[in-house]
């Protein structure tokens, strides 16, 4: 097999991007009376490469490794850009709306004057994962065990793991997740892939299982660690490609996306205005790896039951290191502030507006 590659420019041509003033109406379930006036919305791609495969009697040229970016640029934007990064096996939908039809954090950040970019990592089906390993196995050119795992989060896994309830259909009495509309959330979960077999969330149609705390399980919320999540190098490259387009930005990373955000903050501090970490993987515990920018970490409820104590402890260390170095730093552990019932998907919870205000106040004061 002979393969030719050509890198795609980091600032890929925008697709379906509207320019000029545009009024975005309020969301169906949102109580606001005013719309949001934006000068750019839509999506584009960053990173990736063009791959040409000359196997057999035909030539096949495809794009792979690119990451989809949704943008929302408000009219009169006068604040630093915010790049929002969903966790493992989650898409930009978690920041763009809520299951019950309220505005997402993306719209709220845009209302505050921030250009917003929501980054879907390259491993998602909506971005540009590489189909060649699957085709090679199907053609008998590679062993089955080399085939990547295509996965979708199962409802049986996410209810207890992310703090919705003890099992599907049995929400905790104080849960803040809009479980009455969970079908909308489940429908938005995209397929994602990981190299090698037997990693990640449950395969679609597979029986629910309780994996050991492998790196992938840790990243998805099962493990009790602050360690590095899967897919981080590819996500880092996509993030750097996006930063080349946006300039220095606030990195808002959820769950496994924390690995890429903290790595970029460490290796390219000039590109990072602030770090917002929402129950992240990857909080550094060494002073020479801690961000040199304002940093806030936010945690919800039932941390021990969700096996996130290690992550929380790591983030306490990170916040302490950032503060000791003279930069603004804060850990928001919502139960300590009298707020109970928040889940791993707090940007979807029914008090997501209140949590965003806490983040926005920190950024404004920093």
């Amino acid at each position: 097999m002979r393969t030719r590659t050509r890198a795609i420019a980091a600032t890929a041509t925008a697709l379906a991007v509207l320019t000029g003033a545009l009024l975005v109406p309020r969301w169906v379930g949102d109580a606001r009376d005013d719309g949001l006036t934006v000068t750019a919305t839509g999506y584009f791609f960053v990173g990736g490469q063009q791959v040409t495969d000359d196997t057999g009697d035909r030539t096949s040229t495809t794009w792979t490794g690119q990451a989809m970016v949704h943008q929302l640029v408000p009219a009169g934007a006068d604040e630093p850009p915010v790049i929002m990064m969903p966790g493992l096996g989650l898409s930009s939908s978690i920041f763009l709306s809520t299951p019950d039809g309220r505005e997402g954090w993306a719209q709220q950040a845009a209302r505050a004057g921030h250009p917003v970019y929501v980054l879907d990592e390259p491993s998602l089906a909506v971005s540009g994962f590489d189909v060649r390993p699957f085709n090679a196995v199907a053609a008998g050119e590679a062993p089955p065990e080399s085939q990547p795992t295509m996965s979708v989060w199962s409802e049986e896994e996410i209810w207890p793991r992310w703090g919705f309830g003890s099992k599907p259909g049995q929400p905790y009495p104080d849960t803040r997740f809009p479980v009455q509309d969970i079908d909308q959330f489940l429908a938005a979960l995209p397929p994602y892939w990981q190299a090698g077999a037997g990693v990640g969330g449950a395969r679609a149609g597979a029986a629910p299982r309780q994996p050991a705390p492998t790196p992938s399980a840790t990243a998805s919320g099962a493990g009790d660690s602050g360690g590095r999540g899967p897919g981080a190098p590819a996500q880092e490259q996509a993030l750097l490609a996006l930063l080349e387009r946006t300039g220095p930005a606030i990195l808002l990373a959820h769950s496994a996306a924390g690995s890429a955000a903290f790595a970029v903050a460490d290796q390219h501090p000039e590109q990072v205005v602030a770090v917002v970490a929402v129950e992240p993987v990857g909080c550094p515990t060494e002073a020479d790896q801690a961000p040199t920018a304002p940093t806030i970490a936010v945690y919800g409820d039932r941390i021990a039951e969700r096996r996130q104590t290690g992550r929380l402890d790591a983030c306490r260390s990170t916040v302490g290191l950032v503060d000791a170095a003279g930069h603004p730093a804060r850990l928001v552990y919502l139960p300590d502030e009298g707020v109970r019932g928040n889940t791993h998907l707090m940007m979807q919870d029914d008090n997501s507006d209140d949590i965003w205000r806490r983040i926005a106040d920190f950024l404004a004061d920093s």
Side-chain angles (χ1 to χ4, degrees):
M1 176 183 295
R2 182 166 61 89
T3 301
R4 299 191 302 270
T5 63
R6 178 165 61 86
I8 184 174
T11 54
T13 302
L15 300 177
V17 175
L18 307 178
T19 58
L22 175 69
L23 182 66
V24 178
R26 68 179 178 87
W27 263 229
V28 173
D30 203 272
R32 296 176 180 85
D33 294 328
D34 57 326
L36 170 63
T37 303
V38 300
T39 57
T41 186
Y43 64 91
F44 58 90
F45 293 88
V46 294
Q49 61 184 4
Q50 189 181 59
V51 177
T52 301
D53 199 348
D54 292 336
T55 302
D57 57 358
R58 67 186 184 92
T59 298
S60 175
T61 302
T62 59
W63 288 97
T64 181
Q66 67 270 28
M68 177 182 277
V69 181
H70 290 263
Q71 68 171 347
L72 192 62
V73 181
D78 56 1
E79 297 291 339
V82 177
I83 296 175
M84 299 184 177
M85 305 165 63
L88 178 68
L90 295 165
S91 75
S92 53
S93 64
I94 68 169
F95 291 118
L96 295 170
S97 185
T98 66
D100 53 345
R102 291 171 289 116
E103 280 191 347
W105 283 1
Q107 288 78 19
Q108 293 179 56
R111 286 181 182 278
H114 297 277
V116 179
Y117 303 89
V118 189
L119 178 67
D120 281 315
E121 67 172 301
S123 66
L124 294 183
V126 298
S127 286
F129 71 89
D130 195 347
V131 301
R132 290 176 299 163
F134 298 93
N135 293 338
V137 171
E141 298 173 354
E145 59 270 19
S146 69
Q147 181 168 291
T149 300
M150 283 298 296
S151 305
V152 178
W153 282 110
S154 74
E155 189 173 8
E156 290 79 6
E157 284 187 301
I158 66 177
W159 273 72
R161 180 171 292 178
W162 293 344
F164 301 169
S166 57
K167 61 181 180 180
Q170 294 191 10
Y172 296 123
D174 62 353
T175 187
R176 307 306 299 254
F177 190 85
V179 293
Q180 72 278 4
D181 294 296
I182 195 167
D183 286 356
Q184 290 294 309
F185 174 72
L186 295 172
L189 292 173
Y192 68 100
W193 78 282
Q194 292 178 287
V199 295
R203 291 188 183 188
R209 51 190 171 85
Q210 296 297 323
T214 60
S216 58
T218 299
S220 59
D224 187 16
S225 168
R228 192 166 169 80
Q235 197 171 27
E236 288 169 28
Q237 293 305 309
L239 176 56
L240 287 170
L242 179 55
L243 284 166
E244 287 184 17
R245 178 176 184 134
T246 66
I250 297 165
L251 306 185
L252 194 161
H254 172 246
S255 196
S259 291
F262 283 116
V264 169
D266 176 36
Q267 298 162 17
H268 302 273
E270 74 287 352
Q271 293 279 38
V272 179
V273 175
V275 177
V276 179
V278 181
E279 295 198 353
V281 170
C283 273
T285 56
E286 300 294 332
D288 61 350
Q289 297 176 350
T292 56
T295 300
I296 181 172
V298 188
Y299 275 83
D301 206 352
R302 295 186 171 86
I303 295 300
E305 295 97 313
R306 296 194 282 119
R307 297 181 61 190
Q308 298 228 11
T309 305
R311 289 197 202 181
L312 177 58
D313 290 344
C315 285
R316 286 189 196 279
S317 297
T318 302
V319 167
L321 292 169
V322 174
D323 180 68
H327 308 290
R330 183 183 176 196
L331 176 71
V332 178
Y333 179 40
L334 291 167
D336 280 353
E337 300 188 9
V339 182
R340 306 305 300 245
N342 278 112
T343 72
H344 190 51
L345 277 295
M346 63 186 72
M347 71 292 294
Q348 304 267 280
D349 288 348
D350 63 12
N351 62 339
S352 58
D353 284 16
D354 174 65
I355 298 171
W356 172 254
R357 279 193 293 270
R358 293 165 193 260
I359 294 170
D361 288 347
F362 171 82
L363 294 174
D365 292 342
S366 300

